[in-house]
Amino acid sequence: MNKTVFVTGANKGIGFGIAKYLGLSGWKVILGARDEKRANDAIAELKALNINVAGWVKVELADLDSIKSAADELNAKYPELSLLVNNAGIPGNMAHKSWETEIKDIKETLDVNYIGTFALTKALLPLIQKNRGRIANVTVPSEVSPYWHPLAYVASKASQNAMTGIMAMEFQQNNIPVEIFTVHPGPTTTDLNGNMSLPGFHNIDTVGEKFAELINDGNNHQGEFIELYPIVEE
């Protein structure tokens, strides 16, 4: 299989860690980002590690036109693409209690984390299918955790989890040669959560390395919900 991966939100945080360790394990990496300077800074850092970085593609998951442009560019420049990592997302307002959450916040978070992710997956599916590839969605459990449960964010990821499960089932039913699964990194210190660092939290290198091990393990993970580091009681 061709080892070319497109990672969304790859210029920082978990996405950067995933791109880094997939690259270190032999994958050719394409970064998905919104900002040219941050993308180029990330590329320079990865290339300093002798990682094969093919380039970056601008994609804004809140903008369907941007998603179409990104998919067109990926199809034209990288016909060998075999792995899509849907990592990019927004947190919503994590400080609000459920009943305080604004409808606007729910809609904006769903637009990026679910609608945008679905639109990009749909747009790239023919290419991934042609290459008999895989789609890995970075997510959180749909079940309510007593320790961390921001409504807008969890609801958007629950939708993404439902998308993954249904696609996996229908890919199998229709003999579509694509593997799709979800990966929960576990508690990770990133700017998405305000660089929260509590007992049981991991850094992006630890998560990125374990994610790469999963991708490279040679197993079929169709429809699975995989927890790299489960949430544990403090």
Side-chain angles (χ1 to χ4, degrees), residues 44-149:
E45 191 172 342
L46 294 173
K47 285 188 173 180
L49 298 171
N50 294 317
I51 289 171
N52 183 4
V53 184
W56 78 285
V57 173
K58 182 178 176 63
V59 60
E60 170 54 76
L61 291 180
D63 183 345
L64 294 178
D65 289 335
S66 172
I67 291 169
K68 182 181 184 305
S69 295
D72 289 345
E73 183 175 350
L74 287 161
N75 273 279
K77 291 184 178 179
Y78 309 106
E80 76 281 9
L81 180 69
S82 60
L83 174 61
L84 167 63
V85 178
N86 283 313
N87 164 78
I90 61 173
N93 190 324
M94 293 189 170
H96 281 173
K97 298 290 192 297
S98 56
W99 61 89
E100 297 170 339
T101 305
E102 301 287 344
I103 297 297
K104 178 174 179 289
D105 191 33
I106 294 283
K107 287 182 175 180
E108 288 177 350
T109 310
L110 282 169
D111 274 347
V112 172
N113 297 356
Y114 173 53
I115 302 297
T117 296
F118 171 74
L120 182 63
T121 300
K122 179 179 172 68
L124 290 177
L125 182 57
L127 180 58
I128 299 294
Q129 181 177 346
K130 184 191 74 172
N131 292 322
R132 307 180 72 86
R134 291 174 287 173
I135 301 165
N137 296 323
V138 178
T139 186
V140 299
S142 300
E143 295 80 11
V144 177
S145 164
Y147 310 110
W148 188 80
H149 43 258

